[in-house]
């Protein structure tokens, strides 16, 4: 049965999966959501028998119903191959009575690879299906990891160009170097003087700029997005929660049907929303623990029902979570409002005009699946140090936020259910912060000396994605004001006034 996708801000705007993937963001600024969440039509005891690639097909065929089996399997085959340094694709590491789902074994050593390895194939397949003759321009804002993963995925893909905006002083030095050294004739990376929310808002404004859209059309281009606002990013993320449950079941760590609590370090809300969708499909997930850093807008929302971005923006050692406007939360709000476009539009208008909105008491009660928590910078460092000293396992700051929040939740609630902690990045991507936490002091060494030291103490080989940065030349040097983003897009595409 075909699943259609509608905009959270216009119920009449209904598209097939391939049309929604190609469009990215709805014209009126809404996000595309499936009209229903399909049930997983496979017994749970069958999951341990499936490879990651087989699990991906079982899950994604339920959502991307206008893709043929051949098309979908080809996309999956091209995405989840030797680019990943572990044949399991998303292995699970057990440490201190918790299970760490490692999503950083792809080409750019961050969880964004899990979806951005397949998005280019889904998008180019969708373009063929829709008879799209225009060149697709991927326009993306990043808080650190999406940018590099999208660049790696789309570099030199025929019929596409990609432009990534990132906050100049809001990512780690390794994250920045990964982006600015990106090769590819169709790639462009630009720093923004401001924070991630500035970059993300600027990108959304470009998507809704009718004058720019007309100029693009005349020049033979069309925008699409690689951010998690694109449903083609969100659907592949559901896969690893289904796969993880199967792996735990197959390893005898849980019994069939027994719930697992999932803790996700959360910024833009896409990763934890995918876990929510997996639960809706029938995977026995207990609590969805939303872990925030000191930019704890989501923690406050789950506690009070008030979403308020009017607060100081904090630069932390977990920069991919330094976000005050969690775009994917709109998909959940729309669902909580009973798929009521008018209610959702009112909330989003209030967010745009006042910087805040408040959901009803009834909607807040329907958030019982979720638990909010946050970790301070000190608690994040302490968790990296504690886990290393106790087990020898090294985690990055984002994973440490989740691990710290999970440990506190387990102690406070006396919840004995197994805990799956989503590990979103390799510690080598944040070696300076990780080594400072482990040694309890800042070392006067360059990034690559610290990376070598981290490899020695962890017993883990330096990932290729980091090692090759030593000699990679900087190819993208442009830094602009947010107000200059539109002009930068035109210059990249060679569009004259």
């Amino acid at each position: 049965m075909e699943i259609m996708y509608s905009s959270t801000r216009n119920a009449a705007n209904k598209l097939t999966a391939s049309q929604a993937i190609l469009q990215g963001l709805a014209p009126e600024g809404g996000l595309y959501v499936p009209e229903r969440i399909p049930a997983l039509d496979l017994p749970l005891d069958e999951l341990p028998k499936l490879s990651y690639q087989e699990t991906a097909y079982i899950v994604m065929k339920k959502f991307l119903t206008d893709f043929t089996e051949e098309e979908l399997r080809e996309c999956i085959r091209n995405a989840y191959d030797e680019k990943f340094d572990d044949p399991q694709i998303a292995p699970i590491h057990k440490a201190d009575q918790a299970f760490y789902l490692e999503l950083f074994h792809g080409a750019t050593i961050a969880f964004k690879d899990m979806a951005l390895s397949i998005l280019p194939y889904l998008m180019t397949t969708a373009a063929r299906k829709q008879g799209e003759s225009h060149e697709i321009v991927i326009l993306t804002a990043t808080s650190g990891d999406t940018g590099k993963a999208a660049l790696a995925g789309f570099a030199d893909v025929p019929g596409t160009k990609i432009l990534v905006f990132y906050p100049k002083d809001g990512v780690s030095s390794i994250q920045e170097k990964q982006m600015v050294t990106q090769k590819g004739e169709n790639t462009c990376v630009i720093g923004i003087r401001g924070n991630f929310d500035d970059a993300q808002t600027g990108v959304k404004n470009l998507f809704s700029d009718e004058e720019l859209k007309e100029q693009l059309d005349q020049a033979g281009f069309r925008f699409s997005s690689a951010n998690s606002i694109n449903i083609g990013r969100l659907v592949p993320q559901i896969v690893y929660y289904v796969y993880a449950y199967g792996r735990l079941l197959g390893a005898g760590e849980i019994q069939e049907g027994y719930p697992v609590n999932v803790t996700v370090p959360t910024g833009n809300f896409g990763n934890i929303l995918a876990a929510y969708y997996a639960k809706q499909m029938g995977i026995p997930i207990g609590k969805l623990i939303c872990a925030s850093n000191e930019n704890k807008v989501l923690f406050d929302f789950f506690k009070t029902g008030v979403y308020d971005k009017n607060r100081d923006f904090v630069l932390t050692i977990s920069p991919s979570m330094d976000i005050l406007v969690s775009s994917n939360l709109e998909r959940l709000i729309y669902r909580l409002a009973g798929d009521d476009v008018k209610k959702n539009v009112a909330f989003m208008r209030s967010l745009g005009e006042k910087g805040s909105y408040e959901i009803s008491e009834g909607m807040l009660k329907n958030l019982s699946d979720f638990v909010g928590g946050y970790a301070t910078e000190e608690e994040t460092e302490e968790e990296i140090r504690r886990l290393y000293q106790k087990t020898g396992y090294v985690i990055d700051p984002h994973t440490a936020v989740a691990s710290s929040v999970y440990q506190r939740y387990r102690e406070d609630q006396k919840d004995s259910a197994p805990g799956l902690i989503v590990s979103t990045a390799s510690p080598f991507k944040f070696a300076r912060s990780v080594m400072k936490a482990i040694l309890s002091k800042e070392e006067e060494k360059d990034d690559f000396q610290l990376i070598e030291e981290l490899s020695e103490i962890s017993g883990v080989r330096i990932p290729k994605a980091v090692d090759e940065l030593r000699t990679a030349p900087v190819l993208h040097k442009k830094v602009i004001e947010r107000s200059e983003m539109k002009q930068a897009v035109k210059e990249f595409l060679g569009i004259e006034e």
Side-chain angles (χ1 to χ4, degrees), residues 25 139-141 165 192 195-209 212 223 481-486 489:
L25 186 70
L139 190 64
T140 292
F165 292 104
I192 297 293
N195 57 42
F196 169 72
D197 289 328
D198 294 324
Q200 179 169 252
T201 300
V203 164
K204 284 187 173 182
N205 290 342
L206 291 172
F207 268 101
S208 59
D209 188 319
L212 180 59
F223 277 150
E481 303 293 338
R482 175 181 153 186
S483 60
E484 299 172 307
M485 290 173 69
K486 183 174 179 177
V489 170

Side-chain angles (χ1 to χ4, degrees), residues 116 119-120 123 135-142 145-165 179 182-190 203 207 221-227 233 476 488-489 492-493:
L116 284 165
L119 183 61
M123 194 167 283
E135 192 164 9
I136 298 167
V137 179
I138 305 299
L139 190 64
T140 292
T142 184
D145 289 332
T146 287
K148 174 58 181 179
L151 288 161
F154 282 94
D156 292 325
V157 170
T160 70
K161 291 185 182 295
I162 178 166
L163 196 164
V164 171
F165 292 104
M179 287 188 282
Q182 176 65 50
K183 297 176 182 178
E185 293 297 318
N186 64 337
T187 66
C188 180
V189 180
I190 298 176
V203 164
F207 268 101
F221 298 112
R222 66 167 295 171
F223 277 150
S224 193
S225 173
N227 279 83
R233 267 280 305 275
H476 307 273
V489 170
F492 173 54
L493 299 178

Side-chain angles (χ1 to χ4, degrees), residues 46-98:
E46 292 292 313
L47 291 178
K49 304 173 186 176
L50 302 180
S51 67
Y52 192 89
Q53 294 84 346
E54 291 166 336
T55 307
Y57 177 71
I58 292 296
V59 172
M60 293 172 66
K61 74 173 183 177
K62 305 293 289 183
F63 286 91
L64 309 182
T65 52
D66 68 329
F67 283 72
T68 68
E69 178 176 350
E70 183 182 0
E71 288 170 339
L72 198 49
R73 287 193 183 278
E74 181 67 12
C75 289
I76 291 167
R77 193 161 42 245
N78 285 323
Y80 304 112
D81 56 12
E82 66 278 358
K83 290 191 294 292
F84 288 81
D85 64 16
D86 191 298
Q88 294 181 64
I89 308 298
I92 296 174
H93 183 96
K94 187 176 182 181
D96 192 27
Q97 298 183 297

